[in-house]
Amino acid sequence: MPSFEESLKKLETIVEKLEKGDLALEDSLKLFEEGVAASAACKKELDAAEGKVQMLVKQRDGSMKAEAFPAEKS
């Protein structure tokens, strides 16, 4: 599984290629599909990071019950 940084770089490259507008329709659609997948991977990583940050805030806040953040499955 690619890292967040790798997925983001791939997404940036795809956007640059699509913005040029010089690709055939089939190539553009393929790149768009790859971009959607890279975007989903980035969102998943960001959501996981947000969950970790929320757990840290809850623990330091003291007003909420501290909970263990579930370990990521590999």
Side-chain angles (χ1 to χ4, degrees):
M1 176 179 227
S3 70
F4 173 80
E5 290 78 10
E6 291 168 337
S7 294
L8 185 59
K9 183 64 179 167
K10 181 175 185 176
L11 185 56
E12 289 171 347
T13 301
I14 289 169
V15 168
E16 288 173 9
K17 289 179 181 179
L18 289 173
E19 284 180 340
K20 288 182 182 178
D22 59 354
L23 297 172
L25 179 59
E26 186 176 324
D27 294 335
S28 293
L29 288 173
K30 182 179 177 184
L31 277 176
F32 180 78
E33 289 173 354
E34 290 178 23
V36 168
S39 176
C42 287
K43 182 179 180 336
K44 182 179 176 182
E45 290 291 322
L46 288 173
D47 288 345
E50 180 181 11
K52 290 177 183 178
V53 169
Q54 287 175 351
M55 293 302 295
L56 291 172
V57 170
K58 287 181 183 179
Q59 291 177 3
R60 293 185 59 109
D61 178 309
S63 66
M64 297 181 191
K65 180 181 175 188
E67 301 173 5
F69 190 78
E72 198 172 327
K73 296 178 182 178
S74 37

